Amino acid sequence: LRSALAATGAALHGADYLFYLPVENQAAVRAETVPAGTRQLTVADAGAFAQFAAAAPAQDMAEAFVELDHWLVLGTFADGRLVAAASMYPWRGTHFADLGIITLLEYRGRGLAKRTVRAISARALAEGYEPQYRCQLDNTPSASLARAAGFAQFATWNVIASGICTGTDS
């Protein structure tokens, strides 16, 4: 398959872990009270989100794909600032909600990402969406966060990133 894809000029994105929240964990996530300091973000939070994005590593912002204009966005505040943010968007017309999460470096290791992931997952479940967590195979901290938040690995997958032959050559 890889040879056939390469012959067409298609490139693979790179393998990701794919995690889902098992049904047996969903009830507990739905029943949790959202901790103080964690809430949905709106356009009114644009300034706080811009400061957060400027303070976060550029690579984290690119890889996690957390955006204020996504379908659902939650953040956790500490010390008067946004320190963790998660966003979701429905995956290609399905009821799977793809999740990204970023925590500022100096706030990692405090459980803030876990609580943010669980809170956004509860909101997605309440809206009829299945939370989906993806991360690259070499991102051990993110894979560990997924598991700590109650997700289980479903698969490892790789998608075509570029060069797809459309069959509409002129």
Side-chain angles (χ1 to χ4, degrees):
L1 178 60
R2 289 179 197 269
S3 297
L5 288 171
T8 67
L12 294 174
H13 177 269
D16 285 339
Y17 287 125
L18 185 60
F19 294 92
Y20 287 96
L21 198 56
V23 172
E24 58 270 15
N25 293 353
Q26 291 180 9
V29 168
R30 287 178 195 218
E32 289 178 2
T33 301
V34 177
T38 299
R39 63 173 175 81
Q40 185 166 354
L41 301 180
T42 68
V43 293
D45 294 300
F49 189 85
Q51 289 176 342
F52 170 81
Q59 183 175 351
D60 287 0
M61 291 300 295
E63 290 178 1
F65 192 45
V66 173
E67 300 286 340
L68 188 59
D69 64 353
H70 280 168
W71 167 71
L72 183 60
V73 188
L74 267 73
T76 296
F77 291 80
D79 302 326
R81 64 191 279 213
L82 180 62
V83 299
S87 69
M88 289 181 153
Y89 57 91
W91 184 253
R92 298 183 181 174
T94 70
H95 278 105
F96 293 110
D98 199 63
L99 178 138
I101 175 75
I102 301 170
T103 305
L104 297 180
L105 293 173
E106 62 269 30
Y107 288 89
R108 292 182 182 173
R110 300 181 189 186
L112 301 174
K114 177 182 171 182
R115 85 185 209 190
T116 308
V117 166
R118 288 179 70 87
I120 199 169
S121 295
R123 290 289 302 274
L125 289 165
E127 296 289 329
Y129 285 84
E130 179 79 29
Q132 173 180 281
Y133 189 117
R134 290 181 298 128
C135 66
Q136 295 178 331
L137 300 183
D138 63 352
N139 193 340
T140 303
S142 188
S144 295
L145 169 59
R147 291 180 184 100
F151 285 75
Q153 185 181 338
F154 175 75
T156 301
W157 77 331
N158 204 341
V159 296
I160 298 172
S162 65
I164 299 172
C165 178
T166 61
T168 58
D169 297 334
S170 303

